[in-house]
Amino acid sequence: MERFKAQPIAQKERAILVGVALNSRSELEEELEELAALADTAGAEVVGVLTQTRKEIDPAYFIGQGKAEELARMCAELRADLVIFNHDLTPAQARNLEKLLNTRVVDRTELILDIFAKRARTKQAMLQVELAQLQYQLPRLRRMWQHLSRLGGGIGTRGPGETQLEVDQRRAKKRIADLQRQLQEIQRQTSTRVQSRKERELFTIALVGYTNVGKSTLMNALTKANVFVEDRLFATLDATTRVLYLPDGHKVLLTDTIGFIRKLPPHLIASFHATLEEVRTADLLLHVVDVSHPAMDEHIKVVEETLQEIGAGDKPTILVLNKADKLPPDWDKEALLRRYPNAVLVSALTGEGLNTLLSRIQDQFRRMRVVAVHARLALWAQSLIAFVYRNGVVREIAYDTDWVSLDAEMERPFAESLQKQAEEMMAGEVVLKEAVPAASQR
Ligand SMILES: Nc1nc2c(ncn2[C@@H]2O[C@H](COP(=O)(O)OP(=O)(O)OP(=O)(O)O)[C@@H](O)[C@H]2O)c(=O)[nH]1
Ligand SMILES: [Mg+2]
């Protein structure tokens, strides 16, 4: 199957970026900056940038023919090995451009897929990326192997008149089906894992956000876990889950996951279905933003749209404005928080604001899940008393000769389970009440 692997971008290939302003010029500037960061992450060196403003896309070259010829001269002068388009090209456009420029041409989607392929570490991530790559390439196979097209020759191996292209397409489709089957198997196992966690009913929080905003750094800062952090796009491709202890002693789970980006290739979203399951099943989302980034509002919009797309648009969410340390000292933080009224301003790097964030998480968690438990249990029911200690936070306990009086806080499912067990064992009485606000206990 080697021949279906896209040719990876090699270290320090000399790349020229091409961007067309179809709407606003300023948007293009921003997108090209991001494209340069993506190219850098892929290992290429950006040696030139070509931009053009036009109303309509040229069907043959995407840019106009005159501009394409200018690009060809640029490629020769700058000794470029690679041209990266900020837009998705049709197979015909890519073919025409490669012929005219005599240089390899990739589009934005291929660049992102290349980065994902390089970054994938686990079996699941690798399969997911390969699937997305193949699905993207399938309609483009003609471009890659047209020169190989010929009539089938091997007796009994091919149908009459079948071309190499058809053989390639058939093999690619077979590989796609194969990958989908393997991924389904992995997903079945993950779902069981997610499911069994749900059965134990631990409250799960997922970190979401644009790529490179500091999700993994925040995860580390909050849980002291050692998750891979890098000033590169898409450092994280797999979901990592850690235990987080809230100030009131309750235990919740925190999941770090893959970052989003504008125009995230739809094949990738589909392929990363299983990884994104962690987001879909979470109880609470922390939407992390890089508050020092000029395109922050655009990032927020992209993330919200992507969440909608994967079916996680309506979850309770806390907006976390990260990298506060990068704001100029005289920055009007009050005005910022007026603009984003439900946000928390933090720095995962310096620790600023993390306590506020933790208590905001705790408030949400308590509102959604915690109940106060008052229990009067027979002393012989040791297993029930142990159950409370294991699954809740005991606030007060008093013994007399035959009975134990307990005041505790538990997540509702645990509390209900306690109630049921006490009833079945005829071991005493359990009363559930609204939990008091956490603030009064600290
Ligand atoms: N100045 C500053 N830099 C930060 C802060 N948080 C994260 N960073 C830096 O931002 C870069 C990206 O951090 P990551 O934690 O890898 O970001 P991410 O959101 O997990 O990125 P992906 O996994 O690639 O989507 C790293 O260089 C971090 O050191 C912060 O609060 N302040
Ligand atoms: Mg990360």
Side-chain angles (χ1 to χ4, degrees):
M1 265 309 131
E2 267 313 299
R3 62 181 313 170
F4 289 123
K5 291 256 162 68
Q7 202 185 334
I9 292 168
Q11 285 301 308
K12 294 299 157 218
E13 264 182 271
R14 298 168 62 82
I16 295 177
L17 309 182
V18 181
V20 173
L22 292 163
N23 312 314
S24 82
R25 191 85 201 175
S26 64
E27 209 172 284
L28 178 67
E29 298 288 307
E30 233 168 52
E31 291 197 14
L32 283 176
E33 225 166 88
E34 185 170 279
L35 192 69
L38 285 167
D40 177 59
T41 300
E45 185 190 348
V46 177
V47 294
V49 178
L50 183 85
T51 61
Q52 185 182 32
T53 312
R54 58 184 298 129
K55 285 202 192 62
E56 270 166 24
I57 293 165
D58 181 72
Y61 294 105
F62 198 95
I63 48 178
Q65 181 162 1
K67 203 69 178 175
E69 279 158 10
E70 184 187 332
L71 179 59
R73 285 192 296 277
M74 237 176 121
C75 284
E77 255 163 50
L78 297 170
R79 288 176 293 113
D81 320 290
L82 184 67
V83 171
I84 304 174
F85 268 71
N86 182 41
H87 314 267
D88 287 347
L89 301 171
T90 65
Q93 286 163 343
R95 185 172 61 236
N96 293 340
L97 282 163
E98 285 193 336
K99 210 150 142 205
L100 180 73
L101 305 176
N102 212 5
T103 310
R104 197 149 72 97
V105 174
V106 298
D107 60 23
R108 198 171 177 284
T109 295
E110 286 170 304
L111 181 61
I112 293 177
L113 288 172
D114 185 81
I115 294 171
F116 272 61
K118 282 206 178 89
R119 298 254 149 179
R121 290 288 171 271
T122 63
K123 175 117 193 276
Q124 185 180 27
M126 286 179 198
L127 294 176
Q128 285 173 327
V129 175
E130 192 186 344
L131 177 62
Q133 281 185 319
L134 266 179
Q135 283 175 330
Y136 193 70
Q137 282 169 18
L138 188 58
R140 290 168 172 73
L141 281 180
R142 188 181 300 280
R143 159 187 157 202
M144 306 175 73
W145 288 299
Q146 198 186 33
H147 55 286
L148 294 176
S149 283
R150 56 171 197 268
L151 284 182
I155 296 167
T157 56
R158 292 179 210 144
E162 195 177 29
T163 62
Q164 185 61 42
L165 173 68
E166 284 163 329
V167 175
D168 286 343
Q169 282 176 336
R170 192 157 43 75
R171 287 173 60 200
K173 282 183 189 153
K174 188 165 166 295
R175 179 69 183 151
I176 286 175
D178 192 40
L179 288 168
Q180 282 168 332
R181 200 180 33 69
Q182 290 187 48
L183 279 167
Q184 264 163 17
E185 177 56 23
I186 295 178
Q187 187 172 9
R188 202 180 48 76
Q189 289 162 10
T190 331
S191 288
T192 332
R193 217 174 56 221
V194 171
Q195 190 51 39
S196 69
R197 201 156 72 212
K198 284 283 140 188
E199 268 159 25
R200 296 203 320 273
E201 292 291 351
L202 271 180
F203 190 84
T204 306
I205 303 164
L207 290 157
V208 295
Y210 212 73
T211 181
N212 210 39
V213 295
K215 296 177 296 298
S216 299
T217 311
L218 188 62
M219 168 99 160
N220 285 338
L222 290 173
T223 66
K224 320 270 185 303
N226 219 344
V227 175
F228 183 55
V229 171
E230 210 187 348
D231 195 8
R232 285 288 163 91
L233 307 183
F234 302 115
T236 309
L237 282 194
D238 296 292
T240 318
T241 302
R242 294 283 139 85
V243 169
L244 170 67
Y245 286 96
L246 296 176
D248 69 358
H250 281 284
K251 186 164 105 176
V252 297
L253 295 178
L254 188 62
T255 293
D256 178 24
T257 184
I258 179 176
F260 300 156
I261 195 162
R262 70 191 101 195
K263 300 193 248 161
L264 192 67
H267 292 310
L268 262 185
I269 300 186
S271 311
F272 276 76
H273 186 84
T275 305
L276 293 169
E277 169 125 343
E278 302 279 348
V279 176
R280 253 191 311 275
T281 56
D283 297 290
L284 174 69
L285 302 182
L286 299 186
H287 178 171
V288 186
V289 180
D290 177 352
V291 75
S292 70
H293 200 290
M296 146 176 174
D297 283 324
E298 160 83 8
H299 291 179
I300 292 178
K301 207 176 103 220
V302 168
V303 171
E304 284 174 352
E305 283 166 6
T306 313
L307 287 173
Q308 287 288 351
E309 255 169 74
I310 65 168
D314 302 321
K315 287 199 182 287
T317 303
I318 299 176
L319 189 66
V320 183
L321 308 177
N322 188 34
K323 306 201 188 181
D325 60 286
K326 282 175 93 177
L327 293 175
D330 57 349
W331 195 269
D332 189 351
K333 292 183 178 172
E334 298 297 315
L336 191 68
L337 290 171
R338 272 198 303 278
R339 247 182 88 205
Y340 306 95
N342 292 316
V344 187
L345 189 63
V346 307
S347 165
L349 216 58
T350 67
E352 173 190 344
L354 291 188
N355 282 335
T356 315
L357 176 59
L358 276 172
S359 62
R360 283 287 297 280
I361 295 173
Q362 178 168 287
D363 287 349
Q364 274 285 348
F365 165 70
R366 295 180 70 84
R367 212 169 322 142
M368 290 168 70
R369 292 288 275 272
V370 177
V371 289
V373 175
H374 178 76
R376 190 174 139 79
L377 299 170
L379 252 191
W380 55 260
Q382 282 301 324
S383 65
L384 292 186
I385 299 165
F387 182 83
V388 180
Y389 271 98
R390 214 170 40 243
N391 299 303
V393 178
V394 175
R395 297 289 173 211
E396 258 185 63
I397 184 160
Y399 292 88
D400 61 33
T401 39
D402 300 320
W403 296 93
V404 178
S405 287
L406 256 172
D407 276 305
E409 284 176 6
M410 299 180 89
E411 290 181 55
R412 185 172 287 280
F414 290 122
E416 284 171 353
S417 161
L418 175 73
Q419 205 169 28
K420 193 159 147 254
Q421 291 179 60
E423 203 173 292
E424 278 167 10
M425 291 162 65
M426 291 192 285
E429 192 190 22
V430 176
V431 183
L432 309 188
K433 277 187 289 191
E434 284 284 285
V436 283
S440 62
Q441 292 159 2
R442 266 177 293 131

